[in-house]
Amino acid sequence: MRIASLHLYPVKSTAAIDVDRAQIEPWGLAHDRRWLVVDAAGARVSALTRPVLLTVRATPTADGLRLCAPGHRELDVAVPTAGPSVGVSVTRQPELTYAGQEAADWFTRVVGSPVRLLWQRDPRERPVSASHGGRSGDVLSLADTAPILLTTTPSLARLNAWIAEGSDPAALPMARFRPNVVVEGDLEPFAEDGWRAVRLGAAAFRFTETCDRCAVTGIDTATLHRGKEPIRTLAQHRKWDGATWFGIRMLPTDLGVLEVGDPVDVLESA
């Protein structure tokens, strides 16, 4: 098995940034999900309610981000070093740092309603919840419940085969599931469900939970069209505890660098 691809989402709910290598930090891959778009009340603006966010590419730069979206000028945004704190409705993260009016105006034009761009100063302020597999000292970016989301190509192939048996022969791309790490190789579909410790390259990772999937996976990232797949088929084959499941969430127990092509070894299985 090996790492097939690596992906970052510097601003939560925006398009994936594909990379060949990524630095591992205690709270996830460097540059992943450290920025967030919120409305006037501090509530997260997600791709579920504003699919246009999926057209935004936020590329890390030496001192911040470069924002791009179809029909809008590019904007460079620096990491705010002295911006005011803004109260937000993010679990275990009561405040984030305001990234400035220019970034707020840019995202407002893209989204079509007043929003602001915020920055997570210190991920060490946000612990991983014990209810989602966290232990004392585990910390988190603005990702949902764990630093790393891992998927495998055999699992996607099996899901697409199930979908093809139904009314929709179109195969779904892995991008629908917004993983950080995609693994390929000689393994059974959904074997990752049982992985409890994995070595990716030279670094080890610990399983925290299987990933429950929401309706964002039904949005075509190219056309923004909403469909019933993959939730409809996952509900037929991968539903338990009232949710549908695809991929696993993991937490780094070592630091270092991941690269596409790195070997993947299962250290412990359930």
Side-chain angles (χ1 to χ4, degrees), residues 151-171:
T151 60
T152 70
T153 56
S155 296
L156 180 64
R158 175 61 59 83
L159 173 60
N160 278 325
W162 286 334
I163 292 173
E165 292 171 0
S167 59
D168 189 352

Side-chain angles (χ1 to χ4, degrees), residues 13-26:
S13 286
T14 59
I17 303 297
D18 305 333
V19 296
D20 292 328
R21 66 197 312 269
Q23 182 73 38
I24 306 165
E25 297 176 334

Side-chain angles (χ1 to χ4, degrees), residues 25-124:
E25 297 176 334
W27 43 84
L29 301 184
H31 306 296
D32 187 53
R33 296 177 171 97
R34 294 289 301 280
W35 304 76
L36 182 69
V37 179
V38 302
D39 63 17
R44 171 192 166 195
V45 179
S46 78
L48 187 59
T49 57
R50 293 289 190 272
V52 70
L53 283 174
L54 295 171
T55 69
V56 174
R57 290 183 58 81
T59 304
T61 62
D63 63 352
L65 293 175
R66 175 161 295 161
L67 300 175
C68 306
H72 298 271
R73 66 179 179 86
E74 292 186 357
L75 178 68
D76 287 334
V77 181
V79 169
T81 57
S85 294
V86 174
V88 293
S89 56
V90 176
T91 56
R92 306 177 308 287
Q93 182 81 65
E95 294 182 336
L96 296 170
T97 302
Y98 181 51
Q101 192 62 47
E102 192 173 20
D105 291 343
W106 192 91
F107 268 104
T108 293
R109 288 191 293 271
V110 171
V111 172
S113 59
V115 296
R116 293 172 287 179
L117 179 65
L118 306 181
W119 160 253
Q120 184 191 38
R121 282 188 307 268
D122 188 352
R124 290 170 295 186

